[in-house]
Amino acid sequence: MTVPDSSTSGPEGPESPVGPEDQASQVSRTGQVGQTGRVSQEGPDGSSAPESHGSPGPAGTTGPAGTTGPAGTTGPAGVTGVGGPVRLDGPWTHRDVAANGARFHIAELGDGPLVLLLHGFPQFWWTWRHQLTALADAGFRAVAMDLRGVGGSDRTPRGYDPANLALDVTGVIRSLGEPDAALVGHDMGGYLAWTAAVMRPKLVRRLVVSSMPHPRRWRSSMLSDFAQSRAGSYVWGFQRPWVPERQLVADDAALVGRLIRDWAGPRAPEFPDDTAVDVYRRAMCIPSTAHCSIEPYRWMVRSLARPDGIQFNRRMKRPVRVPTLHLHGSLDPAIRTRSAAGSGEYVEAPYRWRLFDGLGHFPHEEDPAGFSAELINWLKDPEPDR
């Protein structure tokens, strides 16, 4: 289902039509009734923010809103989807947590200090499958969440601005019963990790960002650097109504496969393989996922001259005061190295820059062993230096 674009409805983001199934409570496979009522949210500065409306998850998943899909569906070669295209089998445990007026699907593994993993576009939690096991083996509690509107998390009609999405992240930390977490974000997940570290520094123990500059650096690069603007042309293309959603899901989300292949670097020819591409294509075909995945990018551009966008940009002037590890592929075609490398000026804490030679936009999947080793060594370093 393609949902019409309406991201100009207000600072919180779009309000998309709600299907008939949203008009009634849905019953999950555990027998619990899904919540579709209005829940008051905490605003970016601790004040009360506008309400967010929970909505049932898409058909074919056992999502947080309680919908039940086909039992025991089988995914691509070597991947079994007991819970549809989202809850893929593995050593991890799947469950849902409530935060910031919505429900979020998480996959968790291990015990120890919390490390919360945030995926980017056009992916979902499964992109962190290698790091989940590596972190758990290293003595951490590794949790990969689906962002709002993606995977098994709620697809709400609004709330896709970065401030609210960052509150989703910090709300999940609290719902997991932890005092803080090390945030690890890739692409859009990295953008939200930067934001959460500024807005809720007490909940962020350490910050790791991959393939995404600081929000202010991203903004200036997209507006003033022609090479970065051209590299990020997909963001400008997302501003059209209707068309991007249709393109993303056409031919069983063939565009998702092309984007992942085009953005990957040449050093790791084994990624992406057909199995991984098929997993991401199936996840994008879940109804409303394409629309919800695009909405944060629409807000980032359309709010540039709006009061909410100007206010967000000013808020992000506050320096990041938690130790930060910044990871990037030297051949990333979507985010240029030059754009990402200037982010250290916004960090008033130990900051470490690591460039992976020959890798593209997905270093955590192109070289999972090297990425995980760099991540774990830094997380265990009691005094990370600059």
Side-chain angles (χ1 to χ4, degrees):
M1 179 183 71
T2 301
V3 184
D5 165 56
S6 56
S7 64
T8 58
S9 59
E12 281 192 282
E15 180 168 358
S16 55
V18 179
E21 69 273 16
D22 294 342
Q23 298 175 1
S25 298
Q26 305 293 318
V27 180
S28 69
R29 63 180 177 179
T30 61
Q32 296 177 343
V33 178
Q35 297 177 351
T36 58
R38 299 183 177 183
V39 182
S40 177
Q41 300 177 0
E42 180 186 8
D45 299 310
S47 59
S48 178
E51 296 170 329
S52 174
H53 304 259
S55 63
T61 68
T62 51
T67 57
T68 304
T73 58
T74 302
V79 180
T80 302
V82 174
V86 172
R87 301 193 176 211
L88 302 174
D89 284 348
W92 40 74
T93 300
H94 295 281
R95 67 187 178 99
D96 304 317
V97 296
N100 197 27
R103 287 196 183 187
F104 299 89
H105 165 251
I106 64 169
E108 59 181 333
L109 182 65
D111 294 303
L114 176 62
V115 179
L116 184 59
L117 305 156
L118 312 175
H119 66 84
F121 172 87
Q123 301 173 309
F124 65 113
W125 75 267
W126 192 72
T127 190
W128 298 112
R129 60 198 178 279
H130 304 294
Q131 285 69 44
L132 281 171
T133 54
L135 286 166
D137 291 342
F140 292 95
R141 180 188 183 187
V143 176
M145 66 175 285
D146 282 327
L147 300 180
R148 182 182 293 254
V150 179
S153 295
D154 273 357
R155 286 145 178 79
T156 57
R158 56 168 66 96
Y160 296 92
D161 59 286
N164 191 66
L165 293 173
L167 290 179
D168 292 345
V169 173
T170 56
V172 166
I173 295 173
R174 287 171 169 168
S175 293
L176 292 173
E178 298 284 355
D180 54 33
L183 285 186
V184 182
H186 170 256
D187 188 76
M188 176 55 68
Y191 192 99
L192 301 182
W194 283 115
T195 305
V198 171
M199 292 174 49
R200 294 289 186 270
K202 292 183 179 179
L203 294 177
V204 180
R205 183 175 69 254
R206 292 198 182 188
L207 175 65
V208 183
V209 178
S210 174
S211 308
M212 177 57 67
H214 185 276
R216 287 182 63 88
R217 180 68 180 174
W218 180 91
R219 183 182 187 274
S220 63
S221 296
M222 287 291 287
L223 293 178
S224 61
D225 185 343
F226 176 76
Q228 179 57 60
S229 183
R230 182 174 58 184
S233 60
Y234 65 97
V235 176
W236 304 117
F238 286 162
Q239 307 312 307
R240 298 169 295 170
W242 289 87
V243 175
E245 287 91 340
R246 293 180 177 180
Q247 290 177 333
L248 274 177
V249 299
D251 299 323
D252 296 325
L255 178 57
V256 169
R258 290 198 297 272
L259 288 175
I260 292 176
R261 294 184 192 279
D262 290 346
W263 290 351
R267 199 183 94 184
E270 64 275 8
F271 176 84
D273 58 16
D274 291 340
T275 297
V277 169
D278 286 345
V279 168
Y280 293 125
R281 289 175 62 182
R282 291 174 66 231
M284 185 60 71
C285 287
I286 298 173
S288 297
T289 299
H291 176 75
C292 296
S293 298
I294 290 171
E295 284 301 285
Y297 294 99
R298 284 181 169 147
W299 186 94
M300 289 161 67
V301 172
R302 298 180 183 183
S303 67
L304 288 175
R306 293 202 315 239
D308 56 321
I310 295 172
Q311 181 184 14
F312 173 77
N313 192 50
R314 288 174 178 169
R315 182 180 298 131
M316 293 307 295
K317 285 184 178 180
R318 302 173 187 169
V320 174
R321 293 192 171 95
V322 297
T324 301
L325 173 65
H326 202 173
L327 307 171
H328 203 79
S330 65
L331 299 181
D332 188 338
I335 302 292
R336 300 179 69 232
T337 301
R338 178 179 176 181
S339 300
S343 300
E345 65 180 287
Y346 299 103
V347 181
E348 290 186 0
Y351 174 83
R352 183 181 298 178
W353 166 261
R354 171 72 162 89
L355 192 65
F356 291 97
D357 184 50
L359 299 186
H361 191 61
F362 309 99
H364 59 296
E365 291 191 87
E366 296 174 48
D367 184 9
F371 184 97
S372 297
E374 186 74 26
L375 171 64
I376 292 169
N377 290 338
W378 184 81
L379 289 175
K380 287 189 171 184
D381 187 348
E383 296 182 0
D385 56 11
R386 291 183 177 269

